């Protein structure tokens, strides 16, 4: 297994102190996609910082509308993002607001690259059984519509599988995997 306990090479490091637990890379078997329900990565990080025990929240990564990836926690840490699977998953937040602020082409490309890197490094199959939305991974949390209305998880996975993630390839990739703009 590659050393992913540190940093995703394409991420800007934005450490979130005191909002994770000790974990093991070997336990990571899932990737959970989320929507921030806020308009910026900064607002998501501020929400995380403001959360207090026993209801602290966090994620490993946040992807901004322009495609910038921020890493908040080491992948090996346990982030508190989906109660039923925190220990065995990596959490990725996407800046978006269901029905109002949709994920951008840049976010899809950045998310697909990150998902592909995580799948390769952690030996997680790159499929929809292992890459889930919050409501799929942890239904008891009550996030019934996460990621509905802002992020298409099937598209993220399809782009990760076909590696159509480079800037400017989104249209070509969408044709390849059958997505429409």
């Amino acid at each position: 297994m590659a050393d992913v306990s540190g940093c995703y090479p394409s991420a800007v490091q934005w450490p979130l102190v005191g909002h994770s637990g000790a974990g093991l890379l070997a336990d990571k078997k899932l990737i959970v996609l989320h929507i921030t329900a806020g308009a910026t990565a900064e607002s998501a990080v501020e929400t995380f910082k403001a959360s207090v025990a026993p209801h602290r929240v966090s994620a490993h990564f946040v992807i901004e509308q322009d495609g910038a990836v921020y890493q908040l926690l080491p992948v090996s840490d346990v982030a508190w993002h989906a109660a039923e699977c925190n220990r065995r998953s990596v959490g990725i937040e996407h800046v978006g607001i269901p029905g109002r602020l949709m994920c951008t082409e840049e976010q899809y490309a950045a998310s697909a690259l990150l998902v592909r890197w995580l799948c390769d490094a952690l030996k997680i199959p790159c499929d929809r059984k292992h890459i889930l939305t919050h409501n799929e991974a942890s239904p008891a949390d009550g996030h019934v519509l996460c990621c509905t209305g802002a992020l298409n998880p099937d598209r993220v996975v399809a782009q990760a599988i076909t590696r159509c993630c480079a800037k400017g390839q989104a249209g070509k990739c969408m044709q390849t995997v059958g997505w429409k703009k």
Side-chain angles (χ1 to χ4, degrees), residues 91-153:
I92 304 173
E93 291 277 355
H94 297 76
V95 173
I97 302 171
R100 292 196 358 232
L101 183 62
M102 309 306 286
C103 287
T104 65
E105 297 296 322
E106 292 82 5
Q107 278 177 299
Y108 278 105
S111 187
L113 283 172
L114 175 56
V115 165
R116 179 85 252 170
W117 180 79
L118 288 166
C119 288
D120 288 348
L122 297 170
K123 307 295 186 234
I124 297 171
C126 192
D127 60 35
R128 286 287 280 123
K129 289 181 182 176
H130 295 87
I131 302 161
L132 306 170
T133 62
H134 187 171
N135 63 307
E136 294 167 337
S138 191
D141 291 352
H143 292 260
V144 179
L145 297 178
C146 186
C147 297
T148 306
L151 176 72
N152 181 335

Side-chain angles (χ1 to χ4, degrees), residues 36-166:
T36 62
T40 65
E42 183 175 7
S43 67
V45 172
E46 290 304 316
T47 297
F48 295 153
K49 286 181 180 178
S51 66
V52 296
H55 302 290
R56 285 182 291 185
V57 291
S58 58
H60 294 91
F61 299 94
V62 178
I63 302 177
E64 185 65 82
Q65 289 270 298
D66 66 1
V69 177
Y70 298 99
Q71 184 167 1
L72 310 178
L73 301 170
V75 174
S76 58
D77 278 13
V78 175
W80 301 312
H81 60 97
E84 294 179 46
C85 63
N86 286 334
R87 182 160 299 285
R88 64 183 207 280
S89 64
V90 176
I92 304 173
E93 291 277 355
H94 297 76
V95 173
I97 302 171
R100 292 196 358 232
L101 183 62
M102 309 306 286
C103 287
T104 65
E105 297 296 322
E106 292 82 5
Q107 278 177 299
Y108 278 105
S111 187
L113 283 172
L114 175 56
V115 165
R116 179 85 252 170
W117 180 79
L118 288 166
C119 288
D120 288 348
L122 297 170
K123 307 295 186 234
I124 297 171
C126 192
D127 60 35
R128 286 287 280 123
K129 289 181 182 176
H130 295 87
I131 302 161
L132 306 170
T133 62
H134 187 171
N135 63 307
E136 294 167 337
S138 191
D141 291 352
H143 292 260
V144 179
L145 297 178
C146 186
C147 297
T148 306
L151 176 72
N152 181 335
D154 295 329
R155 180 174 166 193
V156 171
V157 173
Q159 284 186 229
I161 290 169
T162 59
R163 299 179 188 266
C164 290
C165 309

